[in-house]
Amino acid sequence: VQLQASGGGSVQAGGAVRLSCAASARTFSSYTLAWFRQAPGKEREFVAIVSVGGDRFMYADFVKGRFTISRDNAKNTMYLQMNSLKPEDTAVYFCAAGVSWTTEKKRYISWGQGTQVTVSS
């Protein structure tokens, strides 16, 4: 499945951004989907994951209560609503598809190209 992330941009601390991840495959609804992020000089890290049916979620501790992951299988699209953004949320955000319920990036089989989110103080 091919993924394309969009929606990044520059925002002030406390602001909000909504990311989208569109997929090309009709098998989109068969995949577990996740968001990862990578800040300059740091490793790519897990942010959030949503189940195939969109009814099960898990978040990294540093985004709990601020970010919401969702998916619309009819539109082949996943979302990440990011509220109360902090400067430390600045990173390139990647969407990923896999067949396992996991936070390990090496287990994901398809990645989007990434979208930059910059949060200024």
Side-chain angles (χ1 to χ4, degrees):
V1 58
Q2 290 185 325
L3 304 173
Q4 184 168 358
S6 62
S10 297
V11 63
Q12 289 191 330
V17 170
R18 189 193 196 200
L19 304 182
S20 298
C21 178
S24 59
R26 289 180 293 174
T27 55
F28 174 82
S29 61
S30 301
Y31 293 94
T32 297
L33 301 173
W35 288 98
F36 289 77
R37 71 184 187 185
Q38 187 166 16
K42 295 187 177 181
E43 290 193 1
R44 192 170 301 187
E45 63 181 355
F46 168 78
V47 175
I49 184 174
V50 61
S51 62
V52 167
D55 57 350
R56 183 183 175 195
F57 318 94
M58 184 168 61
Y59 296 92
D61 287 343
F62 54 77
V63 303
K64 282 182 180 177
R66 300 189 298 124
F67 292 9
T68 302
I69 189 172
S70 62
R71 66 190 293 169
D72 186 338
N73 287 338
K75 296 182 178 180
N76 282 6
T77 305
M78 171 178 65
Y79 305 97
L80 185 68
Q81 178 66 45
M82 305 190 295
N83 299 329
S84 302
L85 283 162
K86 306 175 181 179
E88 51 264 44
D89 293 319
T90 295
V92 177
Y93 284 74
F94 298 88
C95 54
V99 295
S100 302
W101 183 259
T102 180
T103 63
E104 298 181 39
K105 54 183 180 291
K106 64 182 180 182
R107 301 281 299 275
Y108 285 83
I109 58 176
S110 184
W111 292 84
Q113 84 285 6
T115 184
Q116 175 72 46
V117 174
T118 302
V119 184
S120 58
S121 58

